[in-house]
Amino acid sequence: MSTAPVTVSIHRVVSPDRVPEVTAWVQAGVRLANRWPGFLGSGWIRAAEGSEDWVMLYRFADADRLEAWEGSPDRRDWLAQGEGLVTERAVTRRTGIEGWFDPPVRQDEPSGPPLLPAPPRWKQSVAIWLGFFPVNLAFTLLVAWLVPAFRDLLLPLQVLVSTLILTPIMSFWVLPWVTGSLRDWLHAPTGRSRSRDERGPA
């Protein structure tokens, strides 16, 4: 079973005059999901003030527990209650490489852990390097010891084999662990954003 968290993003269209009903419906769904193992939180954002486009987000600790929630009678009943309230446009799931860093979002009605802004690119690069360097080094040393003939392969074949093996290891185990361990540092306000927060919204 993959241990990578899965974030589901659902684009729904909401009529402005149904916002109070939709808000109550979404909150009921969150209360249901909170009873399920592996639920990590949820929230929703709007494209702009007064927009009919809502993006609803929720996250589970792994794909198996997400599947259990999405196939549950509780969720089916809840979705049935929302018929006529919203129109679903698109569903996106992010995990592995796609889920390393969350994009910046605005939560109109947050529930669960807050959705954090994406860290700066240089911090993302440091986190990726911290995961890639030791894994690549260990792989190189291990292969050189176990399969001496590997060094005699053409360089493109060596790179092909190593990337085929290391990419899933990085995506599903190493990088989720590294980014989870560095979460506070990755999402800490930079000097520029801290100054902006102290001044208030621009």
Side-chain angles (χ1 to χ4, degrees):
M1 180 182 71
S2 170
T3 57
V6 184
T7 301
V8 180
S9 171
I10 305 177
H11 175 195
R12 289 186 168 111
V13 177
V14 178
S15 174
D17 59 354
R18 307 297 295 271
V19 168
E21 296 170 81
V22 173
T23 299
W25 175 69
V26 172
Q27 289 174 339
V30 172
R31 287 194 294 271
L32 283 174
N34 265 308
R35 305 200 318 240
W36 284 78
F39 180 68
L40 299 181
S42 65
W44 63 91
I45 59 173
R46 300 174 192 171
E49 186 176 1
S51 173
E52 296 183 358
D53 293 306
W54 289 30
V55 178
M56 302 179 181
L57 304 164
Y58 57 91
R59 173 174 284 185
F60 274 78
D62 54 61
D64 285 355
R65 284 182 279 188
L66 169 63
E67 183 178 351
W69 155 247
E70 291 187 332
S72 68
D74 282 349
R75 184 171 183 270
R76 285 197 298 270
D77 292 344
W78 172 73
L79 288 174
Q81 294 168 16
E83 289 183 3
L85 289 178
V86 297
T87 302
E88 189 170 299
R89 289 287 175 84
V91 179
T92 304
R93 286 170 172 76
R94 295 185 300 125
T95 187
I97 293 175
E98 296 174 309
W100 292 345
F101 308 105
D102 288 329
V105 296
R106 188 189 91 226
Q107 279 184 288
D108 294 319
E109 297 288 345
S111 63
L115 299 170
L116 301 173
R121 292 290 182 183
W122 71 269
K123 286 189 176 183
Q124 296 183 28
S125 299
V126 169
I128 293 170
W129 181 84
L130 287 174
F132 181 76
F133 174 72
V135 170
N136 189 45
L137 178 62
F139 175 81
T140 302
L141 294 174
L142 185 63
V143 170
W145 176 54
L146 294 176
V147 190
F150 184 77
R151 290 175 294 184
D152 299 329
L153 294 175
L154 294 174
L155 183 59
L157 288 176
Q158 293 183 40
V159 174
L160 175 64
V161 172
S162 62
T163 53
L164 284 174
I165 294 173
L166 294 182
T167 297
I169 292 174
M170 292 292 298
S171 298
F172 291 102
W173 292 287
V174 177
L175 280 168
W177 179 80
V178 170
T179 54
S181 300
L182 298 177
R183 180 182 178 86
D184 291 342
W185 174 75
L186 283 168
H187 297 287
T190 61
R192 181 181 302 175
S193 63
R194 188 180 297 113
S195 298
R196 184 166 56 245
D197 291 342
E198 290 170 355
R199 292 195 305 268

